[in-house]
Amino acid sequence: MEIVMAIVVGILFMTATYLMLSKSLLRIIVGTGLLSHGAHLLILTMGRLKRGSAPLLGEKGPYTDPLPQALILTAIVISFGVTAFFLVLAYRAYKELGTDNIEKMRGNRGNE
């Protein structure tokens, strides 16, 4: 199971890198979203799925570590905020410049 998860994480990272190296701003945003999903899956894979009860005082038996789930939840919230900011920034840039191509957004540097 862990091998399959590692392969999926690798595919997500590979696809995200490919999309982030493109010239389209929308593809870059989708690439950052895929990269964050890959990171979430990597944290989940490294934390391993364990069976057990919640770590409460007075409970006996094997406990489940809540740290990977807490880290993933925090990362999801942060990636949602960053993606929302990128989408608003891309929309504003498209409205001002009329394109989402990074090369065309550079503008003129003048006579150098």
Side-chain angles (χ1 to χ4, degrees), residues 2 41-50 65 67-69:
E2 293 168 356
L41 197 58
L42 180 66
I43 293 171
L44 184 66
T45 303
M46 297 306 291
R48 297 192 181 189
L49 183 62
K50 297 175 184 166
D65 186 18
L67 187 62
Q69 289 86 7

Side-chain angles (χ1 to χ4, degrees), residues 22-25 28 93-109:
S22 68
K23 294 180 182 178
S24 173
L25 198 57
I28 293 171
Y94 182 77
K95 289 299 252 183
E96 288 290 322
L97 302 172
T99 184
D100 72 335
N101 191 340
I102 298 294
E103 293 293 325
K104 293 179 182 176
M105 285 184 180
R106 285 189 177 188
N108 297 331
R109 292 187 174 195

Side-chain angles (χ1 to χ4, degrees), residues 6-111:
I7 291 171
V8 171
V9 168
I11 291 171
L12 282 173
F13 282 164
M14 177 185 63
T15 309
T17 303
Y18 174 75
L19 288 174
M20 288 193 303
L21 291 175
S22 68
K23 294 180 182 178
S24 173
L25 198 57
L26 189 59
R27 287 184 179 191
I28 293 171
I29 294 170
V30 171
T32 57
L34 284 177
L35 187 70
S36 68
H37 286 308
H40 302 158
L41 197 58
L42 180 66
I43 293 171
L44 184 66
T45 303
M46 297 306 291
R48 297 192 181 189
L49 183 62
K50 297 175 184 166
R51 305 249 182 225
S53 62
L56 300 173
L57 293 175
E59 296 283 326
K60 302 234 182 206
Y63 296 120
T64 303
D65 186 18
L67 187 62
Q69 289 86 7
L71 287 174
I72 292 170
L73 183 61
T74 304
I76 288 171
V77 171
I78 291 171
S79 68
F80 176 72
V82 169
T83 303
F85 174 71
F86 281 165
L87 285 172
V88 169
L89 191 64
Y91 177 73
R92 177 71 177 167
Y94 182 77
K95 289 299 252 183
E96 288 290 322
L97 302 172
T99 184
D100 72 335
N101 191 340
I102 298 294
E103 293 293 325
K104 293 179 182 176
M105 285 184 180
R106 285 189 177 188
N108 297 331
R109 292 187 174 195
N111 297 330

